[in-house]
Amino acid sequence: MKLLQETFDPAIAAQFGSAEEDPVDFLGLPLFDGPGLLRLLILFGINLLVCWIVTHFFYYRKSRRRDYYFTYMLFSTAIFFILYNLQNMNVEVGIALGLFGIFSMIRYRTEQLPIREMTYLFVLIAISIINGAGMATSYASFAAVNVLFILIIWVLEAVGMFNRKANKIITYEKIALIHPERREELLADLRERTGLDIVKVQVGSIDFLKDTAFLKVTYIPDDPEPNDIDMITKFKKK
């Protein structure tokens, strides 16, 4: 025993460790990793808080779209966990980002996604990727990135950069009003007959045989829900 005490080198013991300090594992994975679990919970909590602030206070406050609220929160959570776990795998960043792109295309390619919804989806994807990677130099810089995201969105929303507008195609028969010099009369007639707050009108195809023209009107909708048949001019005959 005295010989062992004399030959014991603390530096070597610290470098190679001892059998008693090895964590208990199962099939090559430790059963419990305290520091790793704490880091996961901190990063996930920050990501969830930031995504919730962006979705609830900026997006949902104006749109009132509960379907996108649900999608954004689960989408950001899923991306965070995927990217966080990909850190322990030999996966290139390009492949990981391509995987997220495929996920986003599966559902949204079948439906016209409004520009505001698409912008918020991209922002939440970016936030979740940054938080999931967790590669910031310090917790201060990590928090600064998330705070800057919130501040930029708050400023853009405050100055009205995301005022919602919608478009509608109308078959119009008073083609005498489509002349540029009678544009105000045309707008007044459209507002009276449609009851919409029309702010812009564009003249498309003109049929002089039927005395009709296609008009594309831009209006401010009362309902935040998008109108899926705004751009339909007639129903197809079966």
Side-chain angles (χ1 to χ4, degrees):
M1 179 64 68
K2 183 178 181 181
L3 178 62
L4 290 175
Q5 292 177 350
E6 292 177 353
T7 58
F8 178 79
D9 189 346
I12 297 177
Q15 180 179 359
F16 293 97
S18 61
E20 296 178 356
E21 296 177 354
D22 292 338
V24 180
D25 59 55
F26 179 71
L27 298 179
L29 291 176
L31 293 179
F32 181 77
D33 180 13
L37 178 60
L38 180 61
R39 182 173 184 270
L40 169 63
L41 294 178
I42 291 175
L43 295 180
F44 174 70
I46 294 175
N47 181 75
L48 185 65
L49 176 63
V50 173
C51 291
W52 177 76
I53 291 174
V54 171
T55 303
H56 185 81
F57 290 102
F58 297 120
Y59 172 74
Y60 184 72
R61 183 173 60 88
K62 287 187 177 181
S63 67
R64 298 296 175 182
R65 293 287 307 265
R66 293 188 178 182
D67 51 349
Y68 281 109
Y69 195 121
F70 175 84
T71 299
Y72 289 163
M73 295 305 299
L74 286 186
F75 210 102
S76 60
T77 300
I79 289 179
F80 171 84
F81 282 125
I82 290 174
L83 194 61
Y84 186 87
N85 286 278
L86 285 180
Q87 294 181 84
N88 300 322
M89 304 179 186
N90 188 19
V91 179
E92 296 291 337
V93 176
I95 297 178
L97 294 177
L99 181 64
F100 300 144
I102 292 174
F103 286 162
S104 64
M105 294 287 288
I106 289 176
R107 173 65 181 91
Y108 296 105
R109 68 181 179 85
T110 59
E111 179 180 342
Q112 184 179 3
L113 193 64
I115 186 65
R116 186 170 186 269
E117 279 71 14
M118 183 177 64
T119 302
Y120 271 101
L121 177 62
F122 180 78
V123 168
L124 291 173
I125 290 175
I127 293 174
S128 300
I129 290 175
I130 294 172
N131 294 337
M135 298 178 183
T137 56
S138 65
Y139 281 105
S141 61
F142 182 81
V145 171
N146 288 274
V147 171
L148 287 174
F149 262 113
I150 295 175
L151 289 178
I152 292 173
I153 297 173
W154 176 73
V155 170
L156 293 177
E157 285 282 9
V159 298
M161 296 297 291
F162 284 124
N163 287 334
R164 173 169 162 70
K165 295 180 181 178
N167 298 313
K168 184 185 293 291
I169 299 296
I170 295 177
T171 303
Y172 193 67
E173 83 285 359
K174 297 182 180 181
I175 59 173
L177 297 181
I178 66 175
H179 294 278
E181 61 272 12
R182 304 187 67 179
R183 186 56 51 90
E184 292 302 323
E185 295 182 56
L186 175 61
L187 286 171
D189 183 61
L190 290 171
R191 289 167 184 156
E192 180 182 356
R193 298 172 68 180
T194 63
L196 300 175
D197 185 10
I198 298 175
V199 295
K200 181 181 178 182
V201 60
Q202 295 173 290
V203 180
S205 177
I206 302 173
D207 189 344
F208 286 107
L209 296 178
K210 297 181 180 179
D211 285 339
T212 57
F214 283 123
L215 304 181
K216 179 181 179 181
V217 298
T218 302
Y219 66 98
I220 300 176
D222 296 329
D223 189 356
E225 293 282 342
N227 191 342
D228 296 331
I229 61 173
D230 256 347
M231 307 303 287
I232 295 179
T233 57
K234 63 180 179 179
F235 291 101
K236 294 182 180 180
K237 296 182 180 180
K238 295 182 179 181

